Amino acid sequence: MNDQADDLRVSGLTKQFAGAAGTLDVLTGVNLTMQRGDAVVITGPSGSGKSTLLYIIGVLDEPTSGEVNVGGTMPLLLGAVEQAKFRNETVGFVFQDHHLLPQCTVLENVLIPTLAAAKPASDIEDRARTLLDRVGLKDRITHRPGQLSGGERQRVGICRALINEPLLLLADEPTGNLDQKTAESVGTLLLEVAAEQNTMLLCVTHNLDLAARFPRRYELTDGKLADVTE
Ligand code: ADP
Ligand code: MG
């Protein structure tokens, strides 16, 4: 296969943490490729390195060695300012804890990642409203996060992650704080909206019900990815 065609290419990624008891080898050689429209899930027990891997791919952390290429850019080689721009424009993050700003409305929270971008305000607000409508929050746009249910807050987080039309959507335990029924509907929405936006979705979770819904599945074992897609 032509390497140039890969929208995400992770090669030979390793991560060690230095600790009092010696060196901790969390990632020992992770390789992964994805194209636009792909939805990949990585499972593994708590402490297996899922968040670490996701944060390195999203340039929130640095690897010990290895390469990450996103849409032809090597974000780990960029300077700090360019890295911040890359994170803002190319990557969307959905976290277990939504990290919404409590004093801002739903609409304002979705618009936060656009503050640094140069797009016309009216276009971007229309896009935010369309996304919020898509996830069923049309009637909640002036609510504050504290006035929403956990599932609603997570749906706002999904809209915020997608507002800048990222090439790559990274989700870390996106249903971790939700009850089973809400987790199921948020999982469905995440997969559907990512596909509609033609973004790559890379999700890490220990929730096997959520993982089972993804077309490509990997397990993080001994610091490496094993393909567990049936
Ligand atoms: P997961 O998301 O799969 O639960 P993490 O990626 O959060 O796992 O953590 C993987 C391992 O790396 C854990 O053993 C954790 O304690 C360790 N770890 C994570 N971050 C650090 C850090 N900043 N310093 C030292 N050890 C860390
Ligand atoms: Mg984690």
Side-chain angles (χ1 to χ4, degrees):
M1 190 162 48
N2 178 2
D3 280 352
Q4 296 302 316
D6 296 328
D7 287 311
L8 172 71
R9 194 164 71 249
V10 174
S11 1
L13 213 61
T14 73
K15 180 69 173 179
Q16 298 178 332
F17 288 112
T23 306
L24 187 65
D25 289 302
V26 175
L27 304 176
T28 58
V30 171
N31 302 303
L32 177 69
T33 59
M34 288 178 70
Q35 276 80 42
R36 255 193 197 276
D38 274 352
V40 169
V41 71
I42 297 172
T43 55
S46 180
S48 58
K50 303 183 298 298
S51 295
T52 302
L53 174 59
L54 213 63
Y55 291 175
I56 292 172
I57 293 173
V59 210
L60 292 171
D61 196 359
E62 286 185 337
T64 303
S65 65
E67 284 181 357
V68 175
N69 186 317
V70 185
T73 299
M74 310 271 274
L76 295 164
L77 303 182
L78 300 173
V81 173
E82 288 298 310
Q83 274 190 355
K85 192 165 142 56
F86 169 85
R87 268 194 299 274
N88 188 253
E89 294 179 357
T90 311
V91 187
F93 290 95
V94 178
F95 300 98
Q96 173 167 354
D97 298 307
H98 49 79
H99 298 310
L100 298 177
L101 297 181
Q103 72 275 28
C104 292
T105 65
V106 163
L107 183 62
E108 288 164 351
N109 266 287
V110 173
L111 287 170
I112 284 167
T114 72
L115 296 178
K119 291 184 184 164
S122 60
D123 290 4
I124 208 75
E125 195 174 311
D126 285 349
R127 178 169 163 75
R129 287 177 190 276
T130 303
L131 279 170
L132 284 164
D133 191 9
R134 170 63 185 86
V135 304
L137 293 177
K138 191 181 170 54
D139 301 328
R140 302 283 191 283
I141 59 171
T142 59
H143 281 52
R144 315 265 162 194
Q147 299 167 319
L148 300 175
S149 70
E152 288 168 344
R153 283 196 284 265
Q154 205 53 322
R155 286 188 268 158
V156 177
I158 292 171
C159 294
R160 181 187 52 189
L162 288 169
I163 189 68
N164 281 340
E165 303 179 72
L167 174 59
L168 178 61
L169 181 61
L170 300 174
D172 189 357
E173 303 284 2
T175 63
N177 283 337
L178 306 175
D179 63 70
Q180 196 184 337
K181 190 157 167 282
T182 309
E184 208 175 301
S185 72
V186 167
T188 302
L189 205 55
L190 188 62
L191 277 158
E192 286 179 0
V193 181
E196 288 163 18
Q197 304 284 317
N198 198 29
T199 186
M200 292 181 280
L201 172 60
L202 178 58
C203 176
V204 303
T205 183
H206 61 253
N207 180 338
L208 297 181
D209 290 333
L210 174 65
R213 324 256 296 279
F214 279 70
R216 279 178 66 193
R217 296 189 289 281
Y218 293 86
E219 203 172 273
L220 189 56
T221 309
D222 297 331
K224 291 190 174 67
L225 290 183
D227 191 338
V228 292
T229 313
E230 278 133 38

